[in-house]
Amino acid sequence: MKAKHEGIKGRSLFYVFLSFPANTRQMPDAFVIPSAVVAEVLYTAHRAWLARPGKGGRVHKDGEMRRLLPDYSKEGMAETHGAGWLERYRDAWESISGPHLRSAN
């Protein structure tokens, strides 16, 4: 993803991330995540990565690339976005339907 995705938030905007298994006969896992959640995670994780020293203690260089990861424990986010944080979004198709997304007329 890119830096611009840190600011893309919409009540009716969702991302669907697919995780393809090694066995190509199996269906991929789908994670339906609200754009506001993606934006917050990308923003927080990127700043944590910038603050952490890189190889040989070097400072990380800022850039456009962002990564949505299944585990941000290395970035000091284990409590909120550690291993398994994506599970609540697995096949969460119900989050993209319903009255909470309909605009008021």
Side-chain angles (χ1 to χ4, degrees), residues 1-8 13-17 33-35 37-43 46 63-69 72 85:
M1 300 191 83
K2 302 265 184 177
K4 70 179 182 180
H5 294 102
E6 293 179 358
I8 299 175
L13 178 62
F14 292 80
Y15 293 98
V16 178
F17 294 92
I33 310 174
S35 58
V37 171
V38 172
E40 181 269 325
V41 171
L42 293 177
Y43 177 86
H46 187 68
E64 282 295 306
M65 191 175 101
R66 303 292 186 267
R67 295 183 66 202
L68 189 79
L69 300 173
Y72 285 103
W85 81 272

Side-chain angles (χ1 to χ4, degrees), residues 14-93:
F14 292 80
Y15 293 98
V16 178
F17 294 92
L18 299 176
S19 177
F20 292 90
N23 180 347
T24 57
R25 293 176 189 252
Q26 291 180 318
M27 292 294 291
D29 294 316
F31 299 89
V32 183
I33 310 174
S35 58
V37 171
V38 172
E40 181 269 325
V41 171
L42 293 177
Y43 177 86
T44 304
H46 187 68
R47 270 125 198 97
W49 177 79
L50 287 172
R52 184 172 51 86
K55 289 182 181 179
R58 291 187 212 119
V59 175
H60 285 127
K61 292 182 182 177
D62 199 359
E64 282 295 306
M65 191 175 101
R66 303 292 186 267
R67 295 183 66 202
L68 189 79
L69 300 173
D71 184 359
Y72 285 103
S73 296
K74 285 184 179 180
E75 307 308 336
M77 298 168 57
E79 251 185 70
T80 57
H81 296 90
W85 81 272
L86 286 173
E87 285 307 309
R88 69 183 285 184
Y89 302 106
R90 181 187 297 272
D91 294 320
W93 298 106

